[in-house]
Amino acid sequence: MVGLLTACISIFLLLNKPVLLHKMTAAAGLSDPVTARTDSFYLRRVQPILSKYCTQCHDIKKYKGHLRLDNFLHSRYSGSHSNNVVANSPEESGLLIRMALPKSDRRAMPPLGLPAPTKSEIEVIRLWILRNASGILTEADFPDAPKPAKVLKTVPPIDNQLVFALRKPLSEAVLSVNAKYPHLVLYDTRSSASLRVTNVSLPAVLSDEVFQTLEKITSEIVSIYLVDAPLTDKSLKIMSNMPKLKDIYITGSKFNESRLVALVQDCRDLKRLSLDTHLLTDKVYDAAQEREIKLYGVGSGF
């Protein structure tokens, strides 16, 4: 009985870890290795899109939501849920669904403030999934796929020494925040020292006390994306001291109208402000209009 129970538990665990299951069955000779051919449509067209928009948060280093999108096996089978990629069913595939959501939706990926795939790039992923999410089919098998964008110039390689030098002044402070609140602070790009703040992967509630830990790195924060964060005016005062802040998206906050107006007036680089609709009063609207800041009422189509 114990042996049978152990076997059942093992099967259950394997079924909930599909990447491990495929590796084990391939190692045992019970299935073919899950790999993509070098000339496959996946490697030529799909993986470059995933690398461009997704792997900053979903690679072997971060693995958010147990999802990796840096290789074929993990793109097909990893993730907290089994529907990340459902072969032949784009409409059921979480990867495609979340990419196609409007940016104001909290489930949209990549999150607000990050570059998002174009309609053509999303169509490439849709066609790939529709054709069995194959690692074998080549570009010739996808005659209707949008053509890749022409490369007008060569992107220079990242100067790692320069990046290190740019990030060094605040590197310890960034590490300190993330040690206590993992993934709360991210670098905006692989080659810059600019920072993004997001609670998408934060298990704890993002309160004023948590937000105060950002005070030492305010000089490099360019984007804030917070969902269900019960922040008050205490946090607005900290935001007002962020000289490079361009984009704010916050829901669930308890901000005062006068402090919001002051924020709009103080953040000289602010370009976009997305808040719960009831916070966007006439005074906030007028202050934003004067500064040519785009306002969005979350969930309202404002």
Side-chain angles (χ1 to χ4, degrees):
M1 177 62 79
V2 174
L4 178 60
L5 180 60
T6 301
C8 290
I9 293 174
S10 298
I11 293 172
F12 174 79
L13 291 174
L14 284 175
L15 290 175
N16 283 276
K17 293 184 179 295
V19 172
L20 178 59
L21 177 61
H22 282 83
K23 285 183 176 180
M24 291 181 64
T25 56
L30 300 176
S31 66
D32 294 328
V34 182
T35 58
R37 283 175 32 172
T38 55
D39 62 343
S40 66
F41 184 78
Y42 171 82
L43 281 181
R44 295 284 181 86
R45 298 298 308 280
V46 177
Q47 185 59 61
I49 296 172
L50 300 181
S51 296
K52 181 179 180 181
Y53 299 105
C54 309
T55 55
Q56 186 171 348
C57 296
H58 298 286
D59 63 3
I60 193 171
K61 295 180 180 178
K62 293 186 180 176
Y63 220 156
K64 287 187 179 181
H66 304 289
L67 176 63
R68 279 180 59 184
L69 296 170
D70 56 337
N71 63 61
F72 181 69
L73 173 62
H74 286 85
S75 294
R76 278 295 314 270
Y77 298 109
S78 69
S80 300
H81 306 287
S82 60
N83 66 339
N84 180 54
V85 171
V86 181
N88 304 309
S89 298
E91 68 280 357
E92 298 179 36
S93 298
L95 173 66
L96 192 66
I97 291 171
R98 297 187 71 173
M99 276 188 168
L101 288 172
K103 295 301 291 180
S104 58
D105 194 304
R106 69 183 64 181
R107 300 167 298 162
M109 288 295 164
L112 185 69
L114 291 180
T118 64
K119 291 182 179 179
S120 294
E121 289 170 324
I122 291 176
E123 176 64 6
V124 166
I125 294 177
R126 189 190 74 82
L127 290 172
W128 169 65
I129 295 175
L130 188 63
R131 298 296 303 278
N132 200 39
S134 171
I136 298 175
L137 297 180
T138 67
E139 290 184 271
D141 296 305
F142 294 84
D144 297 330
K147 301 301 180 185
K150 293 182 179 180
V151 179
L152 300 180
K153 61 180 181 180
T154 302
V155 178
I158 295 175
D159 185 338
N160 292 320
Q161 289 186 330
L162 175 60
V163 174
F164 177 80
L166 290 173
R167 294 179 177 180
K168 187 176 180 180
L170 296 181
S171 60
E172 289 188 9
V174 172
L175 288 172
S176 176
V177 172
N178 281 336
K180 193 170 184 179
Y181 305 107
H183 309 304
L184 177 59
V185 180
L186 304 171
Y187 285 105
D188 191 42
T189 68
R190 295 178 183 272
S191 59
S192 79
S194 299
L195 301 170
R196 291 184 290 110
V197 177
T198 176
N199 67 340
V200 171
S201 299
L202 191 68
V205 174
L206 200 144
S207 61
D208 286 325
E209 289 70 28
V210 175
F211 200 83
Q212 286 175 356
T213 63
L214 304 174
E215 285 190 288
K216 292 183 178 180
I217 58 174
T218 54
S219 62
E220 291 295 336
I221 294 176
V222 297
S223 172
I224 295 175
Y225 180 88
L226 305 174
V227 177
D228 295 333
L231 302 179
T232 70
D233 294 346
K234 293 180 181 179
S235 295
L236 279 184
K237 292 179 181 179
I238 298 174
M239 290 183 216
S240 295
N241 292 321
M242 297 179 179
K244 298 181 180 179
L245 186 58
K246 292 179 172 58
D247 198 339
I248 298 175
Y249 179 108
I250 303 176
T251 64
S253 60
K254 304 172 183 177
F255 297 143
N256 174 276
E257 180 186 61
S258 61
R259 282 303 310 169
L260 271 175
V261 171
L263 174 76
V264 170
Q265 295 170 342
D266 293 341
C267 289
R268 307 311 301 175
D269 267 11
L270 192 62
K271 306 299 182 191
R272 180 165 56 181
L273 178 61
S274 304
L275 298 171
D276 295 305
T277 307
H278 71 274
L279 294 176
L280 302 180
T281 64
D282 290 342
K283 289 184 179 180
V284 175
Y285 177 81
D286 290 342
Q289 190 175 42
E290 185 176 342
R291 292 277 323 284
E292 297 184 348
I293 295 170
K294 294 181 179 179
L295 282 184
Y296 295 91
V298 178
S300 70
F302 185 86

